[in-house]
Amino acid sequence: MSNENDIILVTGATGKVGRRLASRLREAGHTVRAVSRSTEIRFDWHDESTWAAAFEGVTAAYLIPPDEPFPAAAVVAAAEQAGVRRLVAQSGRRIHVVAEAAGVGPEAVGMYAAQEAVKASSLEWTVLQANNFNQNFSEGDMLPAIREGELFLPVEDTVEPFIDVDDIAEVAAAVLTEDGHHGKTYELSGPESLTFPAAVEAIAQAAGKPVAFQSVSPEDYAAALRAEQLPEDLVFFLDVMYRVMREGRIGDVADGVEQVLGRKPTAFADWAKRAAAEGAWVK
C-alpha cells in the first residue's frame, strides 16, 4: 500500500507504543506524522478542531485512544472525510469482558469505543488487542515500586502473558504498511503466562537486586490509590481490570504476534535482561 508520498499518522506519539512505532516507521523510510496534544500539529481526542489538520493528507492512521470516553465515531468520521484509507486501532485484549465486568457499554471505555467505531467504518481496518505491557514494570506505574524493591498488587496466583511493547510496535508497523490485514482483529500477548511474583523475580534476577512482591486485598489496593488522590473513575477501572485478571479471563497466550510477524513474541526474561542493561531499574 505504501509509497513515498504516503503519510502515516501515529497518535499518542509520546507514549510507550507510539514513539516506538513512529521511530520504526521512519527507519523503514516512511513519512510519519506523530501527533499528541503537545506536538506542532496538535491532536486531542476531545477537541474536534484538531482532527482535520492531523488527518489531512494521511493514507493510514494508527489510533491509540485514551481510556476515558471520547467521541470515537466522530473521530473516525473525520478520518473518512479526510480521505484516510486504512485505520488501525490499538485496544485492550478482550476489552468487551472488562466493560461487561464494569457494567458499562463500549461508549464508556475509550479503547472499546474506538475499536468498534473503526470496525464500523467504510475504511480498511485492523484492530490490535494487547495484554498488559512488559514496560509497565520499566516505564509505567509500577516502575517506582520496582526501584524501591517491593511491589504491591491485588493479585495472587493470577497469570498474565505480558507483552513487549516493541513487539506491538513491530506488528503495528506491519499492518499499517502491508496488505492482507483488513477486517482482522489480532490478539497480542507474550509467549508465556506468568504470575506476577514470577515476573518480579525475573526482573530481580535481571537487575541484580532484590525485589519483593506482596499480594494485597482489592479493598486495600483501592484505598492506597485513593490515598494517592487518583480519580475515582480510574480507581474503579483498575479494580475491575484486576478482577478480570484474577478470574483468568485474559490469562491465556495469544498468537497474534506470530500470525503477523511469523515469529514468536519476546520472552519476558529476555526483555527483562534487555531493560536492565538499558538501566531501567537504576535509581
Side-chain angles (χ1 to χ4, degrees):
M1 171 180 177
S2 163
N3 63 56
E4 62 182 12
N5 297 317
D6 289 341
I7 300 173
I8 300 176
L9 180 75
V10 177
T11 67
T14 59
K16 298 181 187 72
V17 177
R19 68 176 187 272
R20 288 174 169 86
L21 173 58
S23 176
R24 182 177 292 275
L25 289 168
R26 288 186 178 117
E27 288 173 2
H30 300 287
T31 301
V32 178
R33 181 178 296 157
V35 296
S36 69
R37 285 178 295 180
S38 59
T39 49
E40 183 176 353
I41 297 178
R42 290 184 61 244
F43 183 84
D44 187 329
W45 297 96
H46 302 282
D47 185 353
E48 184 176 357
S49 70
T50 67
W51 302 343
F55 284 123
E56 184 179 1
V58 166
T59 303
Y62 190 71
L63 307 181
I64 308 177
D67 292 331
E68 73 272 6
F70 72 96
V75 171
V76 170
E80 290 178 310
Q81 186 172 359
V84 177
R85 299 204 303 272
R86 179 173 294 172
L87 287 178
V88 181
Q90 181 176 303
S91 187
R93 187 148 177 235
R94 297 175 188 155
I95 192 66
H96 67 283
V97 172
V98 178
E100 288 168 4
V104 298
E107 69 286 345
V109 183
M111 290 184 293
Y112 194 4
Q115 75 167 35
E116 295 306 299
V118 165
K119 289 164 66 175
S121 76
S122 63
L123 309 180
E124 291 184 39
W125 63 264
T126 310
V127 173
L128 305 183
Q129 294 185 330
N131 269 90
N132 279 299
F133 304 161
N134 296 357
Q135 281 77 0
N136 290 341
F137 293 98
S138 62
E139 300 174 23
D141 295 339
M142 292 184 271
L143 174 59
I146 296 290
R147 284 181 170 170
E148 291 300 321
E150 189 165 27
L151 177 65
F152 298 83
L153 288 175
V155 293
E156 294 181 0
D157 57 354
T158 302
V159 296
E160 173 79 10
F162 304 101
I163 182 167
D164 185 350
V165 166
D166 283 290
D167 285 344
I168 301 174
E170 188 173 344
V171 169
V175 299
L176 281 165
T177 60
E178 300 171 358
D179 293 329
H181 303 288
H182 170 52
K184 294 184 179 180
T185 296
Y186 293 109
E187 294 190 12
L188 309 179
S189 82
E192 65 212 330
S193 297
L194 297 173
T195 65
F196 278 82
V200 168
E201 177 57 27
I203 289 170
Q205 291 185 11
K209 58 179 282 186
V211 185
F213 178 82
Q214 179 66 46
S215 177
V216 297
S217 71
E219 295 77 16
D220 287 347
Y221 185 68
L225 296 179
R226 292 188 179 100
E228 295 176 9
Q229 299 185 327
L230 266 68
E232 192 60 33
D233 58 349
L234 179 57
V235 174
F236 175 74
F237 176 79
L238 290 172
D239 178 66
V240 170
M241 184 188 72
Y242 281 115
R243 172 156 50 92
V244 168
M245 292 170 65
R246 288 193 301 272
E247 292 171 354
R249 302 178 75 179
I250 52 174
D252 56 312
V253 171
D255 64 355
V257 172
E258 191 166 9
Q259 286 185 59
V260 176
L261 302 180
R263 65 164 177 83
K264 294 286 187 182
T266 304
F268 189 88
D270 292 338
W271 164 79
K273 292 172 185 174
R274 188 182 82 222
E278 294 169 352
W281 298 296
V282 177
K283 283 187 181 181

